[in-house]
Amino acid sequence: MTTTNPIVKFAGRIVIVGFGSIGQGILPLLLRHIDLRPEQISIVTAEDRGKAEAEEYGVKFHRVSLTRDNFRTVLDPMVGEGDFILNLSVDVSSLSLIKFCHTRGALYLDTCIEPWAGGYTDTSLSPSLRSNYALRESVLQHKGGYANGPTAVITHGANPGLVSHFMKQALLNVARDTGLDVKEPRTRNGWAELAQTLGIKAIHVAERDTQVANVPKKRGEFVNTWSIDGFVGEGAQPAELGWGTHEKGLPPDGRRHEFGCDAAIYLMRPGAGTRVRTWTPKEGPLHGFLITHSEAISIADYLTVWDRTSVRYRPTVHYAYHPCDDAILSLHEFAGKTWTLQPEKRLMMDEIIGGIDELGVLLMGHKKGAYWFGSQLSIQEARELCPHNNATSLQVTAAALAGVIWAMENPRAGIVEPEELNHNRVLEIAAPYLGKLTGAYSDWTPLHNRGVLFPEDVDTSDPWQFKNFRVV
């Protein structure tokens, strides 16, 4: 087990909201890297799951479901000036907790922007309004008013979160390897102009999870290596992607939002029913699901180059996710039941006997074609590095830990997204838990071996058009 001296001292209290796989996985990291006592930590969760782990570390455990009606009453005695809410829940509104922390003078971090229960599938809302784009806009509209207030780091897990720091490092690596003499950018505009100069047209968060268990999936069971509720929730949302300036036209089922930054579009279908072609170093070419994630929007927005009031440059950005094989079977069954969740759920942890989670960013369109940079973490390494984690959860918990420490070191930053954090500092903290950090070039494009068995409608003039990535 890795041991280390604490990185930062913290005198306040930490309330962990939600205590599933990520909550259980980050607890030993908090106690390892932050100078605090177990009695400074409280857990508020809707389930008994994790109670034994909380008792193992001497941490207070409160089983209570937070709702829009009771969350203030429950949290009032636990959170005050200088304290910290670490929101790792589902079905608890991130915006409500951010506002609560702001009024209390408390720090905040979440790994995704959550609505109250039912928000992802509320059919009284349009697909646009139940998108991650809308959730992000609802938080960012408070950014100006919260400037220099207590730090609230939003969407800082593995992805969204860690991958934005991978993206910056990947841009620097491609610049170096293509002979571009450039200093590390210090501003948002500098990073956007670097991406434009390199000719980046598309960015995938390309992930392949090969972890396998010695307990096979049963009929009527949803199996995954991380939160089933979280995965199902985002899988039922519309597929979303940052929309690049090189794209020749919207997909037939593509729609623009009528509000906000206009950096992204959505498709009139769920992400769990939308597949795309992508590439990772160990797997090679693969089909992934275009699951909506906030980084698809925030990275595209961050890398936008403006010409006064018009957009001069923006890459297309989206998630391309191949979960573990049992999760693929679970998704197939879930879709076949018309998106009705199976009666049983199982989070894979102790029963995993092998495999890795290969998570990184794939930058495409530059002089060297495609470049993947990210983490290749095996289940064996994850278990050696930190208890109560698998390869997938440790990539999340390490990144969340780095975000928590950054917030403690920068307590008056207001509302910030991952792209606004110092990527060197985040990677310095997280890297020891990420296995092998790998950079790999490839000549792969989504046109590779296309049209061999049957003719296909592809755009051969530009391999990086979204229509070429999409599996139809």
Side-chain angles (χ1 to χ4, degrees):
M1 182 186 300
T2 297
T3 58
T4 185
N5 293 323
I7 294 175
V8 64
K9 291 185 177 181
F10 187 67
R13 298 171 291 179
I14 296 178
V15 177
I16 302 175
V17 179
F19 202 58
S21 60
I22 306 308
Q24 293 169 42
I26 200 173
L27 180 58
L29 292 177
L30 294 174
L31 291 167
R32 183 183 296 175
H33 289 282
I34 301 172
D35 188 1
L36 76 167
R37 304 177 307 279
E39 52 264 34
Q40 291 172 256
I41 303 176
S42 296
I43 293 162
V44 177
T45 182
E47 299 178 339
D48 279 332
R49 189 159 57 98
K51 187 174 182 179
E53 286 75 14
E55 291 174 350
E56 175 186 348
Y57 291 95
V59 170
K60 295 182 287 292
F61 187 92
H62 306 274
R63 183 183 173 183
V64 55
S65 297
L66 294 186
T67 68
R68 66 177 77 237
D69 296 323
N70 74 358
F71 80 95
R72 292 182 184 86
T73 302
V74 172
L75 295 176
D76 258 333
M78 302 181 189
V79 181
E81 184 83 24
D83 293 332
F84 203 124
I85 287 185
L86 176 53
N87 181 14
L88 305 173
S89 67
V90 295
D91 294 340
V92 177
S93 166
S94 299
L95 181 55
S96 294
L97 293 189
I98 292 168
K99 290 179 177 179
F100 177 84
C101 285
H102 185 73
T103 62
R104 297 299 190 281
L107 305 177
Y108 173 89
L109 181 139
D110 62 37
T111 56
C112 68
I113 302 173
E114 284 279 326
W116 288 115
Y120 288 138
T121 54
D122 183 355
T123 54
S124 70
L125 300 174
S126 68
S128 174
L129 293 178
R130 57 178 188 263
S131 66
N132 270 321
Y133 179 98
L135 290 168
R136 176 177 182 259
E137 290 289 338
S138 71
V139 172
L140 292 187
Q141 67 178 330
H142 298 279
K143 189 175 174 69
Y146 287 15
N148 303 316
T151 297
V153 181
I154 60 172
T155 66
H156 205 280
N159 58 313
L162 181 64
V163 294
S164 293
H165 309 295
F166 286 166
M167 175 271 295
K168 287 184 176 179
Q169 189 59 54
L171 287 173
L172 293 173
N173 293 352
V174 173
R176 176 199 64 207
D177 296 342
T178 55
L180 183 63
D181 185 15
V182 62
K183 292 183 179 179
E184 183 175 308
R186 300 297 180 188
T187 65
R188 174 177 180 164
N189 288 342
W191 287 107
E193 289 169 0
L194 175 58
Q196 181 187 30
T197 300
L198 291 172
I200 306 299
K201 290 186 175 181
I203 300 175
H204 288 182
V205 175
E207 179 177 7
R208 175 59 164 115
D209 183 351
T210 65
Q211 291 171 99
V212 62
N214 58 11
V215 179
K217 175 197 159 352
K218 301 184 299 185
R219 291 177 57 199
E221 180 185 47
F222 199 112
V223 179
N224 197 21
T225 55
W226 59 282
S227 170
I228 286 98
D229 292 327
F231 187 25
V232 166
E234 65 188 25
Q237 287 179 274
E240 296 183 74
L241 57 160
W243 196 241
T245 46
H246 72 288
E247 301 285 2
K248 297 178 181 178
L250 283 177
D253 54 352
R255 303 290 187 274
R256 288 194 178 274
H257 300 276
E258 297 179 354
F259 58 95
C261 67
D262 198 35
I265 66 169
Y266 64 98
L267 307 181
M268 292 293 288
R269 58 183 296 111
T274 308
R275 292 186 301 161
V276 288
R277 296 169 177 86
T278 194
W279 183 92
T280 66
K282 284 190 173 293
E283 181 71 18
L286 63 99
H287 286 180
F289 290 95
L290 202 167
I291 302 291
T292 176
H293 263 202
S294 185
E295 75 269 14
I297 306 156
S298 63
I299 290 176
D301 193 11
Y302 191 78
L303 295 182
T304 298
V305 176
W306 290 88
D307 187 359
R308 296 186 178 178
T309 59
S310 62
V311 174
R312 177 156 35 105
Y313 164 80
R314 177 186 292 136
T316 292
V317 186
H318 60 79
Y319 192 16
Y321 178 38
H322 191 306
C324 72
D325 293 349
D326 275 349
I328 291 285
L329 292 174
S330 301
L331 278 176
H332 183 67
E333 187 179 41
F334 174 50
K337 304 299 182 185
T338 323
W339 313 114
T340 300
L341 185 60
Q342 291 92 321
E344 294 185 38
K345 297 179 286 187
R346 175 163 55 91
L347 178 70
M348 291 167 54
M349 192 64 71
D350 294 339
E351 66 268 39
I352 299 174
I353 57 173
I356 70 167
D357 203 317
E358 187 176 32
L359 169 68
V361 293
L362 184 66
L363 274 56
M364 294 163 280
H366 49 81
K367 288 181 180 179
K368 293 176 73 70
Y371 177 72
W372 188 95
F373 179 81
S375 163
Q376 295 170 330
L377 178 64
S378 73
I379 181 61
Q380 291 84 2
E381 290 172 304
R383 286 173 174 154
E384 291 172 1
L385 289 166
C386 189
H388 309 301
N389 278 280
N390 60 32
T392 305
S393 69
L394 188 54
Q395 290 170 333
V396 180
T397 57
L401 169 73
V404 167
I405 291 173
W406 188 92
M408 291 176 176
E409 293 174 340
N410 301 269
R412 305 296 297 182
I415 296 173
V416 288
E417 294 187 282
E419 295 80 13
E420 298 174 88
L421 276 59
N422 182 299
H423 82 282
N424 292 309
R425 180 60 173 147
V426 170
L427 292 178
E428 178 185 26
I429 298 167
Y433 296 103
L434 299 178
K436 183 181 180 182
L437 285 180
T438 299
Y441 287 96
S442 175
D443 60 1
W444 175 86
T445 81
L447 298 179
H448 180 67
N449 286 340
R450 299 286 294 279
V452 175
L453 293 177
F454 301 94
E456 296 189 58
D457 180 15
V458 295
D459 186 339
T460 57
S461 68
D462 181 6
W464 313 118
Q465 290 291 305
F466 176 67
K467 72 172 292 185
N468 291 334
F469 289 107
R470 190 169 182 182
V471 179
V472 294

